[in-house]
Amino acid sequence: MSGPAREGQREQDNGRRTTGAQEADPGRPRRILVVGGGYVGMYAALHLQRGLRRGEAEVVVVDPEPYMTYQPFLPEAAAGSISPRHVVVPLRRTLAKCQVLTGEVVSITHAKRTAAVKTLATAEEGTGAVDVRYDELILAPGSISRTLPVPGLADHGIGFKSVEEAIGLRNHVLEQLDIASSTRDPQVRDAALTFVFVGGGYAGVEALGELEDMARYASRYYHNLEPDDLKFILVEATGRILPEVGEDMGRYAVRELRGRNIDVRLQTRLESCENRVAVLSDGSRFPTRTLVWTAGVKPHPLLAATDLPLDERGRLTCTARLQVDGAEHAWSAGDAAAVPDLTSDQPGATCAPNAQHAVRQAKVLGRNVLASLRGEALQEYRHKYAGSVASLGLHKGVAQVYGRKLKGYPAWFMHRAYHLSRVPTFNRKARVLSEWALAGLFKREIVSLGSLEHPRAEFELAAGTGRHPEAS
């Protein structure tokens, strides 16, 4: 167990609970607790470790995963253009001067400056959450998928927010081609070759574009499958897709997708997916074994387990200096925070929850925490939205940057160049660039490694437990 967790455990074992930073040992360095290792958490901690003087403060980063996921590369990881391990950034190596605690913060009592943390060790020991004290709190747990009470969704839906989901989806799609190629039942074949994506934002459109490219390419290696046998359907509840790239580029994206024989259904909702049948609000019914849900995100549930102020959407109410409004020594940014957009003409406007703002907010947040520790003036966050780029598959994309519209290959190239410049660490930049270069020389990999999801299945079968790989 790491230092903060051991300290909290000792306090519980002694029958007392910490009552705040003001009662801490005055000789110890101040502790900055960073909750979340995503865009905001990792970048803020990175700026802090670079700017802190020796002995000035210690930084503790808590996240359930020991890595940060660069989510814009998830579609390419799912399509096999990038190795999965190259879209994640190891926190311990990147934040070498910070304490990284792999665990989950389950509640925060900011009035006492404590966070209740569960780790793998506390689970093994059966001790429950331990209290970790802090002096400054950076709360950046991000967001989770926003689901709706659609019948069958919890049983059959596939998310697309983590690297595990991206690789699982890739394996699943390739397995459907195997099923379709080997079955003699036309209903099973049709369901296996029908892929439904719900949500016309970045995640849904980019995942659809990349996986459609990959699946149609892979179908050429099956003796009884043709690319046109595959049916891809995009379901969007509003009248447009990719609103971030503007109305004109959104309409172009629809035309591009439909030109690739992708069925784009606007102003349509998923009503049910029970029994592996996608029922849409326009009355259509599609038997399918693949339903990908990317219909938005919502604030992390941890925010509701704090004593900090939230807005009507469940986000932390923040000032332009990225302080939690009315709560001293508490900071936030990114998806979890409602940060005023000082560049907007609309009163009460807040910054969009995207990576463009999160990375820049993290830099300002790190500077402001340092300034606060030293009694210096704080900086307001101000960034005018530059535009957006989106991939629609290999060599295809749309973009609107500083009012300039791009489509096709130039937009796709800009998409890759922009995200290559933003992925953290030179190590990851070099690895991603080398993989792209090699992909231009060799054919796509179309191997499914679905057995990775059940690593003990083969051994259990050999050991005579009677369990089979597909049943594990």
Side-chain angles (χ1 to χ4, degrees):
M1 192 181 296
S2 66
R6 282 198 301 269
E7 178 182 309
Q9 185 63 63
R10 285 198 299 269
E11 289 175 356
Q12 282 195 334
D13 292 343
N14 293 335
R16 61 185 176 86
R17 298 184 68 85
T18 180
T19 57
Q22 65 274 16
E23 294 186 18
D25 180 1
R28 72 168 178 85
R30 285 171 289 185
R31 176 177 293 160
I32 303 170
L33 178 64
V34 182
V35 180
Y39 289 110
V40 173
M42 193 201 75
Y43 278 106
L46 193 60
H47 288 295
L48 286 170
Q49 79 170 8
R50 290 171 177 169
L52 284 170
R53 304 178 186 125
R54 183 183 296 273
E56 186 175 17
E58 62 179 8
V59 180
V60 179
V61 181
V62 183
D63 193 86
E65 304 293 346
Y67 53 79
M68 174 264 200
T69 302
Y70 191 71
Q71 292 184 345
F73 279 158
L74 288 183
E76 293 204 46
S81 299
I82 301 177
S83 172
R85 66 184 184 277
H86 296 159
V87 304
V88 297
V89 181
L91 293 177
R92 296 185 190 279
R93 185 165 68 185
T94 306
L95 304 177
K97 297 181 181 179
C98 302
Q99 298 180 46
V100 176
L101 182 60
T102 302
E104 180 182 6
V105 177
V106 294
S107 65
I108 294 174
T109 307
H110 187 64
K112 296 183 178 181
R113 305 288 194 274
T114 62
V117 181
K118 287 184 178 180
T119 67
L120 294 176
T122 60
E124 288 291 326
E125 297 164 359
T127 56
V130 297
D131 280 353
V132 175
R133 297 180 306 178
Y134 62 83
D135 299 279
E136 301 284 338
L137 173 68
I138 298 176
L139 188 51
S143 58
I144 62 173
S145 296
R146 177 175 61 88
T147 59
L148 298 175
V150 176
L153 178 60
D155 297 321
H156 304 299
I158 302 173
F160 197 77
K161 194 165 171 54
S162 69
V163 67
E164 294 85 359
E165 288 175 324
I167 304 313
L169 180 57
R170 170 186 169 79
N171 291 333
H172 175 83
V173 169
L174 291 173
E175 286 170 359
Q176 300 316 300
L177 301 187
D178 291 333
I179 292 172
S181 176
S182 58
T183 185
R184 294 183 179 181
D185 187 327
Q187 293 183 339
V188 173
R189 175 187 170 96
D190 289 345
L193 295 179
T194 300
F195 307 91
V196 179
F197 288 71
V198 182
Y202 275 125
V205 172
E206 291 193 335
L208 169 63
E210 293 286 351
L211 284 166
E212 185 264 350
D213 254 357
M214 184 269 292
R216 294 199 197 276
Y217 174 86
S219 67
R220 71 178 66 180
Y221 295 99
Y222 292 81
H223 71 282
N224 56 352
L225 294 182
E226 297 292 335
D228 289 341
D229 293 339
L230 281 63
K231 181 186 297 182
F232 284 83
I233 303 159
L234 177 63
V235 180
E236 168 54 39
T238 67
R240 56 192 291 196
I241 65 172
L242 297 174
E244 297 88 351
V245 299
E247 191 171 349
D248 290 343
M249 291 295 96
R251 284 196 297 265
Y252 166 80
V254 171
R255 292 196 302 270
E256 165 68 22
L257 294 177
R258 286 174 173 167
R260 289 158 56 181
N261 202 26
I262 296 174
D263 187 354
V264 180
R265 306 257 176 148
L266 302 178
Q267 295 183 325
T268 306
R269 298 181 307 279
L270 177 69
E271 298 286 354
S272 169
C273 56
E274 290 183 303
N275 303 317
R276 294 189 180 274
V277 177
V279 181
L280 307 185
S281 59
D282 61 6
S284 303
R285 298 171 60 88
F286 297 99
T288 179
R289 296 176 56 86
T290 308
L291 189 140
V292 184
W293 181 269
T294 60
V297 296
K298 63 181 180 181
H300 197 284
L302 168 63
L303 302 183
T306 72
D307 55 353
L308 298 170
L310 306 178
D311 70 356
E312 66 281 357
R313 295 173 57 185
R315 301 175 300 173
L316 293 165
T317 55
C318 293
T319 69
R321 296 179 176 86
L322 305 178
Q323 295 172 300
V324 178
D325 198 10
E328 293 185 356
H329 309 290
W331 312 77
S332 187
D335 292 356
V339 178
D341 186 354
L342 300 183
T343 67
S344 175
D345 297 330
Q346 300 178 355
T350 57
C351 297
N354 55 42
Q356 185 176 147
H357 280 300
V359 173
R360 290 171 171 82
Q361 287 173 354
K363 187 175 182 179
V364 175
L365 191 156
R367 289 174 178 170
N368 280 351
V369 172
L370 289 174
S372 176
L373 292 175
R374 298 164 183 171
E376 299 171 355
L378 304 184
Q379 175 186 350
E380 290 186 334
Y381 174 74
R382 185 187 301 268
H383 171 69
K384 189 169 182 61
Y385 196 59
S388 299
V389 292
S391 170
L392 301 178
L394 190 63
H395 300 158
K396 297 173 282 288
V398 290
Q400 180 166 285
V401 181
Y402 294 112
R404 191 173 181 184
K405 302 172 185 177
L406 298 173
K407 56 187 178 182
Y409 186 89
W412 171 84
F413 183 83
M414 177 174 285
H415 174 270
R416 280 200 163 183
Y418 174 77
H419 286 299
L420 182 65
S421 71
R422 296 301 176 186
V423 68
T425 77
F426 177 79
N427 179 298
R428 284 299 178 269
K429 287 178 170 61
R431 290 178 182 272
V432 169
L433 184 59
S434 65
E435 286 197 308
W436 282 342
L438 290 173
L441 300 175
F442 301 101
K443 295 180 179 180
R444 283 178 183 261
E445 292 290 348
I446 57 168
V447 178
S448 168
L449 297 176
S451 59
L452 289 176
E453 300 168 26
H454 311 289
R456 295 192 67 248
E458 194 68 32
F459 181 78
E460 288 172 346
L461 184 63
T465 62
R467 299 177 66 183
H468 293 268
E470 62 272 12
S472 296

